[in-house]
Amino acid sequence: MGLFKSKRLVYKPVKDVNLASDSTEFYLQANVKAPRMTGILVKIFTWFLESRIFGALLLYILKGDNLIHKLITNTDLEEPPLYVPLHNFEDNKEQEVKCLDFGLSPPEKVQLAIDCLPTTLEKPINGTKPSFIRWSIMDYFRAYNSGDITPHMVAERFIAAVDESSKSPLQMGFFINYNVEDILRQANESTLRYKKGEPISVLDGVPVAIKDEIDCLPYPTTGGTKWLHKQRPCTDDACCVKRLRLCGAILVGKTNMHELGAGTSGINPHYGAARNPYDANRIAGGSSSGSAAVVSAGLCPVALGVDGGGSVRMPAALCGVVGLKPTFDRISHEGVIPLNWTVGMVGILAGTVEDSLITYAAISGEIPSHQPSSIPAKINLPLLSLTKSISNIKLAKYDKWFDDCSDDVRICCSHALSKLQGCYGWKIVDVTIPEIEVMRLAHYLTIGSECSTSLDSFLDKNLTEFGWDARVALNIYGAFSSMEYIKAQKIRNRQLQFHKKIFSEADVIVSPTTGVTAYPIQDDALKTGELDYVNGAALIRYSISGNFLGLPAVTVPVGYDKLGLPIGLQFIGRPWAEATLIHLAFAMQAICLPEHKKPSIFFDQLRKN
């Protein structure tokens, strides 16, 4: 249990680590030693953690048993710390792209994205007609232009659907807050614009949901708590929300989330569990749980989330939708609760890859830069009509890591990757990504320390208002020392060097998005939340580098497990190479589209009746 100091681990220099497929580097699986706890057990555990007598000893034992002492605390690393994963802009020479002019307005950027879409509907790769296709932003725009359906009609349907979904027997827990009067006001204004033939953009009248970690008037920003909005009032829209509003989008409310983003299930003891539309008895994933669920259930074609530890990509994969996390500092973080400022990033959840592109264009743009380089990070948009002409893409794959998941996930993702290779002839490059479990622990230490620090002035007076699982998380977060935090940043630097070497040989890294599919919601977790670090580690296994190293990543649905639960495949890219990722996701979507299944809980917002 690490009560006495063990032998120090000395990490060899990065230059001496073999990243080829024949590397002798040992793949260490997640070593999570913590039982699942809910109800009275999690309360007792919390009381022990917060005890002056037992707390420090218990935290010390937990850190030792979960290898933090061995892999981080008692180690020697020669790399200097890297505190913020900022990347100097390098032109990646991406194929088939159009450069976005920083001087354009959000509606003009959206139009540029529309110009990148295929002019006709893409035929399925294998010729099979899809049994289920989600309504897209362009479907809404065409429906409104035809006059058959208006934004007001969609708003009324949305309100009725949210009301139905929040009551028994569904109790889906999609939203923390929504305002009927504000939704109808926006919808009426949009309806008038269409009647005049003057829509602002294709996003005009399209319902878009916002994670309750992002400021959006007229709503308070709770962060999934019962108290944070009282200490940090929302006085303005976040930058990303302002840009969507300028495009005419209907901002329909604040989606449910895991309290303070401190978990992966989306079970919130204050606002209810956000449930998975493919099986309402299972988790939606977290922490952007409500945002993924509302897109999956058809309430919105797009929603915004925040991704600090896979918090956009995980729920997107579990709910069968697209999740895009851009490069660190690509999207303005202004107006987002500063819970984890070096790993968090606004991300997009969408029903289709095309809709993720449109939304990405809308919220992108110039932001105050912290980069040492004077070269601006230009924004490329992928010409999706030309995806089929892209050649010589190299996909890095680390077999031991790729296969460290359930059999259903491994088989499904391997099959999807094989089909992608078969259709496009792209090459798999076998690599070794060393010390992945070390990176997971270093990220956990970093995100935990930043969350604890950001909430430090509020903890004592609001402690009893936290959910029990959040109290446990915050106690653990506060147990990390400054020395451990600095060593975690040394590991960040080390891992970034490993990944740069891999990206010198490949365009992207490919992996499953999660190690398991959505697991059941137990009734005993609804009031207290739950501690399930084993499933949590499996869910976050493939997400870490996107956050810890500030790399862009995208997940796209590629199939289902034996129970019909969605599975996602992830592409991780070079800094600033979002266009390449969107190209690959679009190619993968076209292959898998014929196999898409309709969720059990689905609301058809554009039905003609």
Side-chain angles (χ1 to χ4, degrees):
M1 293 188 297
L3 292 177
F4 301 98
K5 279 195 174 182
S6 57
K7 183 179 177 181
R8 296 183 72 80
L9 174 62
V10 179
Y11 287 99
K12 57 186 174 184
V14 169
K15 62 181 177 61
D16 296 334
V17 179
N18 181 8
L19 305 185
S21 59
D22 61 356
S23 175
T24 57
E25 291 293 314
F26 179 70
Y27 178 71
L28 177 65
Q29 292 183 307
N31 184 76
V32 180
K33 293 185 178 178
R36 180 185 179 274
M37 284 188 280
T38 60
I40 189 65
L41 286 179
V42 74
K43 292 181 181 181
I44 293 171
F45 187 63
T46 305
W47 291 331
F48 273 109
L49 276 181
E50 294 174 356
S51 163
R52 292 185 179 181
I53 299 173
F54 300 107
L57 177 61
L58 185 53
L59 287 164
Y60 186 86
I61 292 171
L62 283 171
K63 288 164 66 177
D65 280 355
N66 289 279
L67 300 186
I68 288 175
H69 290 155
K70 179 179 180 180
L71 299 178
I72 296 180
T73 314
N74 302 320
T75 62
D76 292 322
L77 304 98
E78 69 171 27
E79 291 79 19
L82 175 66
Y83 295 104
V84 183
L86 290 169
H87 300 281
N88 292 335
F89 177 72
E90 295 179 13
D91 194 338
N92 291 300
K93 306 296 182 184
E94 295 180 281
Q95 299 181 53
E96 307 299 356
V97 297
K98 180 182 289 188
C99 187
L100 192 67
D101 185 344
F102 279 106
L104 296 177
S105 67
E108 289 170 333
K109 291 171 185 172
V110 165
Q111 185 55 50
L112 196 65
I114 297 301
D115 295 342
C116 294
L117 302 183
T119 52
T120 56
L121 291 176
E122 291 287 297
K123 292 182 180 179
I125 295 292
N126 61 6
T128 305
K129 185 178 179 181
S131 60
F132 170 65
I133 298 178
R134 297 181 179 278
W135 294 123
S136 68
I137 289 170
M138 290 304 297
D139 289 325
Y140 279 85
F141 181 65
R142 283 189 283 263
Y144 294 157
N145 267 333
S146 72
D148 293 337
I149 293 175
T150 67
H152 179 83
M153 291 169 61
V154 166
E156 288 187 321
R157 290 174 179 179
F158 171 87
I159 292 163
V162 174
D163 183 61
E164 178 187 347
S165 70
S166 63
K167 295 177 180 177
S168 185
L170 296 180
Q171 295 181 314
M172 296 299 290
F174 289 147
F175 285 89
I176 286 177
N177 212 332
Y178 71 102
N179 184 304
V180 171
E181 289 182 4
D182 186 66
I183 293 168
L184 290 175
R185 176 189 59 78
Q186 295 177 77
N188 288 336
E189 290 172 357
S190 179
T191 299
L192 286 174
R193 289 193 291 269
Y194 276 99
K195 283 183 177 178
K196 293 177 181 178
E198 299 173 354
I200 299 172
S201 76
V202 297
L203 276 168
D204 203 335
V206 174
V208 178
I210 308 295
K211 183 182 182 182
D212 204 9
E213 193 177 336
I214 304 170
D215 288 341
C216 176
L217 295 173
Y219 305 101
T221 303
T222 73
T225 72
K226 283 291 189 181
W227 61 269
L228 186 58
H229 58 287
K230 301 171 189 174
Q231 306 291 335
R232 180 193 173 276
C234 173
T235 58
D236 197 3
D237 287 336
C239 180
C240 54
V241 172
K242 286 180 181 178
R243 289 172 176 170
L244 288 172
R245 206 183 286 278
L246 286 170
C247 293
I250 300 177
L251 304 169
V252 293
K254 305 298 285 294
T255 54
N256 202 354
M257 60 178 286
H258 204 108
E259 186 174 7
L260 295 171
T264 55
S265 69
I267 299 173
N268 187 307
H270 311 300
Y271 301 104
R275 297 176 179 271
N276 195 314
Y278 280 87
D279 183 341
N281 294 312
R282 292 177 181 266
I283 65 165
S287 61
S288 303
S289 41
S291 289
V294 296
V295 173
S296 180
L299 288 169
C300 307
V302 170
L304 294 188
V306 180
D307 194 315
S311 294
V312 162
R313 291 161 287 153
M314 279 188 290
L318 298 188
C319 292
V321 299
V322 176
L324 174 64
K325 178 221 161 286
T327 306
F328 182 81
D329 214 27
R330 172 68 96 186
I331 307 296
S332 173
H333 217 61
E334 177 190 331
V336 180
I337 300 174
L339 293 173
N340 34 69
W341 52 88
T342 76
V343 295
M345 172 59 59
V346 172
I348 298 158
L349 300 105
T352 67
V353 174
E354 299 94 314
D355 286 355
S356 71
L357 168 60
I358 293 169
T359 310
Y360 171 64
I363 66 175
S364 296
E366 234 173 332
I367 58 176
S369 177
H370 307 290
Q371 299 177 78
S373 169
S374 59
I375 303 174
K378 74 176 184 179
I379 301 172
N380 286 330
L381 300 182
L383 296 166
L384 296 183
S385 56
L386 300 176
T387 295
K388 290 179 181 178
S389 66
I390 291 179
S391 60
N392 300 320
I393 292 291
K394 295 179 181 178
L395 303 103
K397 179 172 177 273
Y398 180 23
D399 284 339
K400 291 179 181 178
W401 181 51
F402 191 101
D403 294 341
D404 188 11
C405 52
S406 72
D407 288 344
D408 282 356
V409 172
R410 175 180 53 81
I411 292 168
C412 178
C413 289
S414 297
H415 184 53
L417 190 55
S418 295
K419 288 194 286 187
L420 187 66
Q421 277 187 281
C423 286
Y424 290 88
W426 296 337
K427 182 181 178 183
I428 298 292
V429 179
D430 292 317
V431 300
T432 296
I433 307 174
E435 303 162 20
I436 286 176
E437 176 63 1
V438 178
M439 179 167 60
R440 183 184 74 83
L441 293 173
H443 167 269
Y444 183 74
L445 200 154
T446 300
I447 194 172
S449 297
E450 292 178 0
C451 182
S452 178
T453 301
S454 70
L455 297 172
D456 181 61
S457 62
F458 307 128
L459 288 180
D460 289 340
K461 55 186 175 183
N462 297 288
L463 186 61
T464 58
E465 295 190 60
F466 284 95
W468 291 95
D469 61 332
R471 282 172 70 170
V472 170
L474 287 165
N475 274 285
I476 295 172
Y477 294 167
F480 300 126
S481 69
S482 57
M483 179 266 288
E484 288 169 333
Y485 182 81
I486 290 171
K487 288 192 175 180
Q489 309 322 301
K490 287 172 170 273
I491 291 165
R492 194 200 305 247
N493 188 353
R494 182 177 176 84
Q495 279 291 333
L496 188 56
Q497 291 183 57
F498 289 148
H499 280 70
K500 283 182 176 178
K501 284 187 176 182
I502 291 169
F503 285 127
S504 69
E505 303 292 332
D507 299 287
V508 300
I509 297 169
V510 63
S511 76
T513 309
T514 61
V516 294
T517 51
Y519 61 83
I521 298 170
Q522 306 290 348
D523 289 342
D524 59 2
L526 295 177
K527 291 184 178 179
T528 60
E530 69 175 355
L531 302 180
D532 190 347
Y533 290 111
V534 174
N535 269 320
L539 287 173
I540 204 171
R541 178 162 300 135
Y542 302 101
S543 298
I544 301 301
S545 61
N547 302 105
F548 200 43
L549 309 182
L551 302 174
V554 64
T555 177
V556 61
V558 293
Y560 306 86
D561 69 5
K562 292 184 180 70
L563 297 174
L565 298 168
I567 293 170
L569 186 72
Q570 176 180 229
F571 300 106
I572 304 166
R574 298 181 178 120
W576 317 117
E578 288 87 354
T580 296
L581 293 182
I582 296 170
H583 266 307
L584 267 62
F586 183 67
M588 192 76 261
Q589 174 181 268
I591 293 170
C592 297
L593 190 60
E595 299 170 13
H596 282 193
K597 298 177 182 178
K598 185 179 180 179
S600 301
I601 308 297
F602 186 78
F603 299 94
D604 188 343
Q605 297 290 77
L606 295 183
R607 64 187 182 278
K608 294 182 178 180
N609 59 14

